[in-house]
Amino acid sequence: MSNDKHEHTMMFQVKSEEDIQAKDVLLQVYSALKEKGYNPINQLVGYLLSGDPAYITSHNNARSMIRKLERDEILEELLRQYLDTKES
């Protein structure tokens, strides 16, 4: 019998109910980035990959809002929305 922990699938769970909804934050941050003339998709990808909040403008409190979420919560929301549109 092996004790190798890689033989089993690990479960990953994100907190399902937060005071702050990831979808709402993403929409507000997207809007703030667009208002400031940035490409919102590029900036959000930069933030998600690096964790560096400097990719997000402070305009309309966007940087502060996005930092209230964990990046895994944001990724979960993006994936959920994408797959929901594929099922329709």
Side-chain angles (χ1 to χ4, degrees), residues 48-74:
L48 290 171
L49 290 175
S50 71
D52 186 350
Y55 282 98
I56 307 300
T57 182
S58 58
H59 178 67
N60 287 343
N61 210 27
R63 188 176 298 156
S64 176
M65 285 189 302
I66 205 159
R67 292 183 79 188
K68 291 179 182 176
L69 297 172
E70 296 294 328
R71 287 185 296 160
D72 60 344
E73 292 176 82
I74 297 169

PDB file of all heavy atoms in Angstrom, residues 48-74:
ATOM      1  N   LEU A  48      -4.855  38.459 -12.435  1.00  0.00           N
ATOM      2  CA  LEU A  48      -5.099  37.074 -12.031  1.00  0.00           C
ATOM      3  C   LEU A  48      -3.832  36.229 -12.096  1.00  0.00           C
ATOM      4  O   LEU A  48      -3.608  35.376 -11.237  1.00  0.00           O
ATOM      5  CB  LEU A  48      -6.193  36.456 -12.893  1.00  0.00           C
ATOM      6  CG  LEU A  48      -7.596  37.000 -12.638  1.00  0.00           C
ATOM      7  CD1 LEU A  48      -8.564  36.487 -13.692  1.00  0.00           C
ATOM      8  CD2 LEU A  48      -8.070  36.647 -11.244  1.00  0.00           C
ATOM      9  N   LEU A  49      -3.002  36.458 -13.091  1.00  0.00           N
ATOM     10  CA  LEU A  49      -1.768  35.683 -13.221  1.00  0.00           C
ATOM     11  C   LEU A  49      -0.706  36.084 -12.211  1.00  0.00           C
ATOM     12  O   LEU A  49       0.016  35.242 -11.688  1.00  0.00           O
ATOM     13  CB  LEU A  49      -1.209  35.805 -14.638  1.00  0.00           C
ATOM     14  CG  LEU A  49      -2.011  35.112 -15.732  1.00  0.00           C
ATOM     15  CD1 LEU A  49      -1.405  35.409 -17.102  1.00  0.00           C
ATOM     16  CD2 LEU A  49      -2.078  33.611 -15.489  1.00  0.00           C
ATOM     17  N   SER A  50      -0.609  37.368 -11.931  1.00  0.00           N
ATOM     18  CA  SER A  50       0.481  37.853 -11.083  1.00  0.00           C
ATOM     19  C   SER A  50       0.080  38.105  -9.630  1.00  0.00           C
ATOM     20  O   SER A  50       0.917  38.044  -8.740  1.00  0.00           O
ATOM     21  CB  SER A  50       1.034  39.162 -11.657  1.00  0.00           C
ATOM     22  OG  SER A  50       0.085  40.204 -11.476  1.00  0.00           O
ATOM     23  N   GLY A  51      -1.184  38.440  -9.419  1.00  0.00           N
ATOM     24  CA  GLY A  51      -1.617  38.835  -8.079  1.00  0.00           C
ATOM     25  C   GLY A  51      -1.272  40.273  -7.755  1.00  0.00           C
ATOM     26  O   GLY A  51      -1.532  40.758  -6.656  1.00  0.00           O
ATOM     27  N   ASP A  52      -0.689  40.983  -8.716  1.00  0.00           N
ATOM     28  CA  ASP A  52      -0.268  42.368  -8.504  1.00  0.00           C
ATOM     29  C   ASP A  52      -1.448  43.311  -8.728  1.00  0.00           C
ATOM     30  O   ASP A  52      -1.943  43.443  -9.842  1.00  0.00           O
ATOM     31  CB  ASP A  52       0.862  42.710  -9.475  1.00  0.00           C
ATOM     32  CG  ASP A  52       1.460  44.076  -9.237  1.00  0.00           C
ATOM     33  OD1 ASP A  52       0.901  44.874  -8.447  1.00  0.00           O
ATOM     34  OD2 ASP A  52       2.505  44.360  -9.857  1.00  0.00           O
ATOM     35  N   PRO A  53      -1.916  43.980  -7.681  1.00  0.00           N
ATOM     36  CA  PRO A  53      -3.076  44.870  -7.807  1.00  0.00           C
ATOM     37  C   PRO A  53      -2.806  46.105  -8.669  1.00  0.00           C
ATOM     38  O   PRO A  53      -3.740  46.810  -9.040  1.00  0.00           O
ATOM     39  CB  PRO A  53      -3.408  45.255  -6.371  1.00  0.00           C
ATOM     40  CG  PRO A  53      -2.171  44.993  -5.602  1.00  0.00           C
ATOM     41  CD  PRO A  53      -1.425  43.902  -6.311  1.00  0.00           C
ATOM     42  N   ALA A  54      -1.545  46.350  -9.025  1.00  0.00           N
ATOM     43  CA  ALA A  54      -1.224  47.508  -9.866  1.00  0.00           C
ATOM     44  C   ALA A  54      -1.842  47.379 -11.261  1.00  0.00           C
ATOM     45  O   ALA A  54      -1.953  48.369 -11.974  1.00  0.00           O
ATOM     46  CB  ALA A  54       0.287  47.681  -9.976  1.00  0.00           C
ATOM     47  N   TYR A  55      -2.253  46.182 -11.654  1.00  0.00           N
ATOM     48  CA  TYR A  55      -2.929  45.999 -12.936  1.00  0.00           C
ATOM     49  C   TYR A  55      -4.339  46.593 -12.931  1.00  0.00           C
ATOM     50  O   TYR A  55      -4.942  46.778 -13.976  1.00  0.00           O
ATOM     51  CB  TYR A  55      -3.033  44.513 -13.301  1.00  0.00           C
ATOM     52  CG  TYR A  55      -1.751  43.941 -13.835  1.00  0.00           C
ATOM     53  CD1 TYR A  55      -0.882  43.235 -13.010  1.00  0.00           C
ATOM     54  CD2 TYR A  55      -1.415  44.088 -15.173  1.00  0.00           C
ATOM     55  CE1 TYR A  55       0.294  42.698 -13.501  1.00  0.00           C
ATOM     56  CE2 TYR A  55      -0.241  43.564 -15.678  1.00  0.00           C
ATOM     57  CZ  TYR A  55       0.608  42.870 -14.838  1.00  0.00           C
ATOM     58  OH  TYR A  55       1.768  42.352 -15.335  1.00  0.00           O
ATOM     59  N   ILE A  56      -4.866  46.862 -11.754  1.00  0.00           N
ATOM     60  CA  ILE A  56      -6.230  47.361 -11.619  1.00  0.00           C
ATOM     61  C   ILE A  56      -6.195  48.820 -11.203  1.00  0.00           C
ATOM     62  O   ILE A  56      -5.521  49.194 -10.246  1.00  0.00           O
ATOM     63  CB  ILE A  56      -7.022  46.537 -10.578  1.00  0.00           C
ATOM     64  CG1 ILE A  56      -6.961  45.038 -10.902  1.00  0.00           C
ATOM     65  CG2 ILE A  56      -8.469  47.015 -10.478  1.00  0.00           C
ATOM     66  CD1 ILE A  56      -7.512  44.628 -12.242  1.00  0.00           C
ATOM     67  N   THR A  57      -6.936  49.637 -11.919  1.00  0.00           N
ATOM     68  CA  THR A  57      -6.992  51.059 -11.607  1.00  0.00           C
ATOM     69  C   THR A  57      -7.634  51.301 -10.241  1.00  0.00           C
ATOM     70  O   THR A  57      -8.466  50.517  -9.791  1.00  0.00           O
ATOM     71  CB  THR A  57      -7.788  51.822 -12.696  1.00  0.00           C
ATOM     72  OG1 THR A  57      -7.793  53.205 -12.388  1.00  0.00           O
ATOM     73  CG2 THR A  57      -9.233  51.347 -12.790  1.00  0.00           C
ATOM     74  N   SER A  58      -7.267  52.401  -9.632  1.00  0.00           N
ATOM     75  CA  SER A  58      -7.913  52.779  -8.375  1.00  0.00           C
ATOM     76  C   SER A  58      -9.177  53.605  -8.644  1.00  0.00           C
ATOM     77  O   SER A  58      -9.932  53.904  -7.717  1.00  0.00           O
ATOM     78  CB  SER A  58      -6.941  53.549  -7.485  1.00  0.00           C
ATOM     79  OG  SER A  58      -6.475  54.707  -8.150  1.00  0.00           O
ATOM     80  N   HIS A  59      -9.414  53.932  -9.911  1.00  0.00           N
ATOM     81  CA  HIS A  59     -10.610  54.684 -10.321  1.00  0.00           C
ATOM     82  C   HIS A  59     -11.865  53.965  -9.825  1.00  0.00           C
ATOM     83  O   HIS A  59     -12.002  52.758  -9.953  1.00  0.00           O
ATOM     84  CB  HIS A  59     -10.619  54.815 -11.851  1.00  0.00           C
ATOM     85  CG  HIS A  59     -11.806  55.516 -12.407  1.00  0.00           C
ATOM     86  ND1 HIS A  59     -12.055  56.849 -12.186  1.00  0.00           N
ATOM     87  CD2 HIS A  59     -12.818  55.063 -13.199  1.00  0.00           C
ATOM     88  CE1 HIS A  59     -13.166  57.197 -12.817  1.00  0.00           C
ATOM     89  NE2 HIS A  59     -13.644  56.126 -13.441  1.00  0.00           N
ATOM     90  N   ASN A  60     -12.784  54.726  -9.253  1.00  0.00           N
ATOM     91  CA  ASN A  60     -14.042  54.192  -8.708  1.00  0.00           C
ATOM     92  C   ASN A  60     -13.821  53.075  -7.690  1.00  0.00           C
ATOM     93  O   ASN A  60     -14.637  52.167  -7.559  1.00  0.00           O
ATOM     94  CB  ASN A  60     -14.966  53.705  -9.826  1.00  0.00           C
ATOM     95  CG  ASN A  60     -15.582  54.845 -10.598  1.00  0.00           C
ATOM     96  OD1 ASN A  60     -15.588  55.990 -10.160  1.00  0.00           O
ATOM     97  ND2 ASN A  60     -16.098  54.555 -11.771  1.00  0.00           N
ATOM     98  N   ASN A  61     -12.686  53.113  -7.011  1.00  0.00           N
ATOM     99  CA  ASN A  61     -12.380  52.165  -5.933  1.00  0.00           C
ATOM    100  C   ASN A  61     -12.216  50.725  -6.436  1.00  0.00           C
ATOM    101  O   ASN A  61     -12.366  49.772  -5.676  1.00  0.00           O
ATOM    102  CB  ASN A  61     -13.459  52.245  -4.851  1.00  0.00           C
ATOM    103  CG  ASN A  61     -12.926  51.929  -3.487  1.00  0.00           C
ATOM    104  OD1 ASN A  61     -11.749  52.113  -3.214  1.00  0.00           O
ATOM    105  ND2 ASN A  61     -13.792  51.439  -2.623  1.00  0.00           N
ATOM    106  N   ALA A  62     -11.914  50.568  -7.734  1.00  0.00           N
ATOM    107  CA  ALA A  62     -11.835  49.237  -8.342  1.00  0.00           C
ATOM    108  C   ALA A  62     -10.751  48.378  -7.704  1.00  0.00           C
ATOM    109  O   ALA A  62     -10.972  47.191  -7.432  1.00  0.00           O
ATOM    110  CB  ALA A  62     -11.602  49.359  -9.845  1.00  0.00           C
ATOM    111  N   ARG A  63      -9.581  48.940  -7.460  1.00  0.00           N
ATOM    112  CA  ARG A  63      -8.478  48.154  -6.888  1.00  0.00           C
ATOM    113  C   ARG A  63      -8.833  47.655  -5.495  1.00  0.00           C
ATOM    114  O   ARG A  63      -8.573  46.500  -5.158  1.00  0.00           O
ATOM    115  CB  ARG A  63      -7.202  48.992  -6.839  1.00  0.00           C
ATOM    116  CG  ARG A  63      -5.979  48.193  -6.436  1.00  0.00           C
ATOM    117  CD  ARG A  63      -4.717  49.019  -6.478  1.00  0.00           C
ATOM    118  NE  ARG A  63      -4.460  49.480  -7.835  1.00  0.00           N
ATOM    119  CZ  ARG A  63      -3.742  50.549  -8.135  1.00  0.00           C
ATOM    120  NH1 ARG A  63      -3.207  51.278  -7.175  1.00  0.00           N
ATOM    121  NH2 ARG A  63      -3.550  50.908  -9.385  1.00  0.00           N
ATOM    122  N   SER A  64      -9.430  48.487  -4.721  1.00  0.00           N
ATOM    123  CA  SER A  64      -9.832  48.097  -3.371  1.00  0.00           C
ATOM    124  C   SER A  64     -10.888  46.998  -3.408  1.00  0.00           C
ATOM    125  O   SER A  64     -10.834  46.036  -2.629  1.00  0.00           O
ATOM    126  CB  SER A  64     -10.361  49.313  -2.624  1.00  0.00           C
ATOM    127  OG  SER A  64     -10.829  48.953  -1.361  1.00  0.00           O
ATOM    128  N   MET A  65     -11.840  47.118  -4.330  1.00  0.00           N
ATOM    129  CA  MET A  65     -12.908  46.118  -4.433  1.00  0.00           C
ATOM    130  C   MET A  65     -12.354  44.754  -4.824  1.00  0.00           C
ATOM    131  O   MET A  65     -12.723  43.737  -4.231  1.00  0.00           O
ATOM    132  CB  MET A  65     -13.958  46.546  -5.461  1.00  0.00           C
ATOM    133  CG  MET A  65     -14.876  47.630  -4.980  1.00  0.00           C
ATOM    134  SD  MET A  65     -16.251  47.923  -6.095  1.00  0.00           S
ATOM    135  CE  MET A  65     -15.406  48.327  -7.617  1.00  0.00           C
ATOM    136  N   ILE A  66     -11.480  44.726  -5.826  1.00  0.00           N
ATOM    137  CA  ILE A  66     -10.991  43.428  -6.312  1.00  0.00           C
ATOM    138  C   ILE A  66     -10.102  42.746  -5.282  1.00  0.00           C
ATOM    139  O   ILE A  66     -10.052  41.525  -5.203  1.00  0.00           O
ATOM    140  CB  ILE A  66     -10.296  43.547  -7.688  1.00  0.00           C
ATOM    141  CG1 ILE A  66     -10.376  42.201  -8.400  1.00  0.00           C
ATOM    142  CG2 ILE A  66      -8.870  44.049  -7.562  1.00  0.00           C
ATOM    143  CD1 ILE A  66     -10.211  42.256  -9.876  1.00  0.00           C
ATOM    144  N   ARG A  67      -9.444  43.519  -4.450  1.00  0.00           N
ATOM    145  CA  ARG A  67      -8.572  42.935  -3.423  1.00  0.00           C
ATOM    146  C   ARG A  67      -9.369  42.302  -2.288  1.00  0.00           C
ATOM    147  O   ARG A  67      -8.822  41.554  -1.481  1.00  0.00           O
ATOM    148  CB  ARG A  67      -7.612  43.983  -2.890  1.00  0.00           C
ATOM    149  CG  ARG A  67      -6.596  44.386  -3.953  1.00  0.00           C
ATOM    150  CD  ARG A  67      -5.599  45.362  -3.469  1.00  0.00           C
ATOM    151  NE  ARG A  67      -4.598  44.629  -2.682  1.00  0.00           N
ATOM    152  CZ  ARG A  67      -3.661  45.200  -1.981  1.00  0.00           C
ATOM    153  NH1 ARG A  67      -3.584  46.514  -1.939  1.00  0.00           N
ATOM    154  NH2 ARG A  67      -2.787  44.483  -1.311  1.00  0.00           N
ATOM    155  N   LYS A  68     -10.666  42.575  -2.217  1.00  0.00           N
ATOM    156  CA  LYS A  68     -11.514  41.950  -1.196  1.00  0.00           C
ATOM    157  C   LYS A  68     -11.861  40.514  -1.563  1.00  0.00           C
ATOM    158  O   LYS A  68     -12.391  39.780  -0.743  1.00  0.00           O
ATOM    159  CB  LYS A  68     -12.779  42.768  -0.987  1.00  0.00           C
ATOM    160  CG  LYS A  68     -12.506  44.105  -0.327  1.00  0.00           C
ATOM    161  CD  LYS A  68     -13.756  44.907  -0.138  1.00  0.00           C
ATOM    162  CE  LYS A  68     -13.411  46.258   0.479  1.00  0.00           C
ATOM    163  NZ  LYS A  68     -14.592  47.116   0.608  1.00  0.00           N
ATOM    164  N   LEU A  69     -11.577  40.137  -2.803  1.00  0.00           N
ATOM    165  CA  LEU A  69     -11.841  38.779  -3.273  1.00  0.00           C
ATOM    166  C   LEU A  69     -10.536  38.010  -3.407  1.00  0.00           C
ATOM    167  O   LEU A  69      -9.506  38.589  -3.738  1.00  0.00           O
ATOM    168  CB  LEU A  69     -12.510  38.815  -4.652  1.00  0.00           C
ATOM    169  CG  LEU A  69     -13.864  39.464  -4.770  1.00  0.00           C
ATOM    170  CD1 LEU A  69     -14.261  39.568  -6.231  1.00  0.00           C
ATOM    171  CD2 LEU A  69     -14.905  38.677  -3.990  1.00  0.00           C
ATOM    172  N   GLU A  70     -10.609  36.734  -3.194  1.00  0.00           N
ATOM    173  CA  GLU A  70      -9.467  35.862  -3.471  1.00  0.00           C
ATOM    174  C   GLU A  70      -9.457  35.609  -4.974  1.00  0.00           C
ATOM    175  O   GLU A  70     -10.513  35.544  -5.615  1.00  0.00           O
ATOM    176  CB  GLU A  70      -9.597  34.538  -2.715  1.00  0.00           C
ATOM    177  CG  GLU A  70      -9.568  34.677  -1.207  1.00  0.00           C
ATOM    178  CD  GLU A  70      -8.232  35.164  -0.687  1.00  0.00           C
ATOM    179  OE1 GLU A  70      -7.197  34.841  -1.302  1.00  0.00           O
ATOM    180  OE2 GLU A  70      -8.217  35.857   0.333  1.00  0.00           O
ATOM    181  N   ARG A  71      -8.279  35.448  -5.534  1.00  0.00           N
ATOM    182  CA  ARG A  71      -8.201  35.209  -6.977  1.00  0.00           C
ATOM    183  C   ARG A  71      -8.900  33.914  -7.369  1.00  0.00           C
ATOM    184  O   ARG A  71      -9.482  33.824  -8.441  1.00  0.00           O
ATOM    185  CB  ARG A  71      -6.750  35.203  -7.444  1.00  0.00           C
ATOM    186  CG  ARG A  71      -6.178  36.619  -7.455  1.00  0.00           C
ATOM    187  CD  ARG A  71      -4.785  36.669  -8.013  1.00  0.00           C
ATOM    188  NE  ARG A  71      -3.876  35.911  -7.157  1.00  0.00           N
ATOM    189  CZ  ARG A  71      -2.709  35.444  -7.517  1.00  0.00           C
ATOM    190  NH1 ARG A  71      -2.269  35.616  -8.733  1.00  0.00           N
ATOM    191  NH2 ARG A  71      -1.939  34.784  -6.669  1.00  0.00           N
ATOM    192  N   ASP A  72      -8.907  32.911  -6.499  1.00  0.00           N
ATOM    193  CA  ASP A  72      -9.606  31.676  -6.840  1.00  0.00           C
ATOM    194  C   ASP A  72     -11.116  31.890  -6.926  1.00  0.00           C
ATOM    195  O   ASP A  72     -11.794  31.255  -7.732  1.00  0.00           O
ATOM    196  CB  ASP A  72      -9.255  30.533  -5.881  1.00  0.00           C
ATOM    197  CG  ASP A  72      -9.600  30.812  -4.433  1.00  0.00           C
ATOM    198  OD1 ASP A  72      -9.832  31.962  -4.074  1.00  0.00           O
ATOM    199  OD2 ASP A  72      -9.609  29.837  -3.650  1.00  0.00           O
ATOM    200  N   GLU A  73     -11.652  32.827  -6.139  1.00  0.00           N
ATOM    201  CA  GLU A  73     -13.079  33.155  -6.237  1.00  0.00           C
ATOM    202  C   GLU A  73     -13.391  33.777  -7.590  1.00  0.00           C
ATOM    203  O   GLU A  73     -14.427  33.488  -8.194  1.00  0.00           O
ATOM    204  CB  GLU A  73     -13.482  34.147  -5.140  1.00  0.00           C
ATOM    205  CG  GLU A  73     -13.447  33.605  -3.744  1.00  0.00           C
ATOM    206  CD  GLU A  73     -13.760  34.701  -2.748  1.00  0.00           C
ATOM    207  OE1 GLU A  73     -14.962  34.975  -2.561  1.00  0.00           O
ATOM    208  OE2 GLU A  73     -12.813  35.280  -2.183  1.00  0.00           O
ATOM    209  N   ILE A  74     -12.495  34.637  -8.042  1.00  0.00           N
ATOM    210  CA  ILE A  74     -12.682  35.296  -9.333  1.00  0.00           C
ATOM    211  C   ILE A  74     -12.624  34.266 -10.456  1.00  0.00           C
ATOM    212  O   ILE A  74     -13.482  34.254 -11.345  1.00  0.00           O
ATOM    213  CB  ILE A  74     -11.629  36.401  -9.540  1.00  0.00           C
ATOM    214  CG1 ILE A  74     -11.796  37.497  -8.483  1.00  0.00           C
ATOM    215  CG2 ILE A  74     -11.730  36.981 -10.947  1.00  0.00           C
ATOM    216  CD1 ILE A  74     -10.653  38.486  -8.426  1.00  0.00           C
TER     217      ILE A  74
END
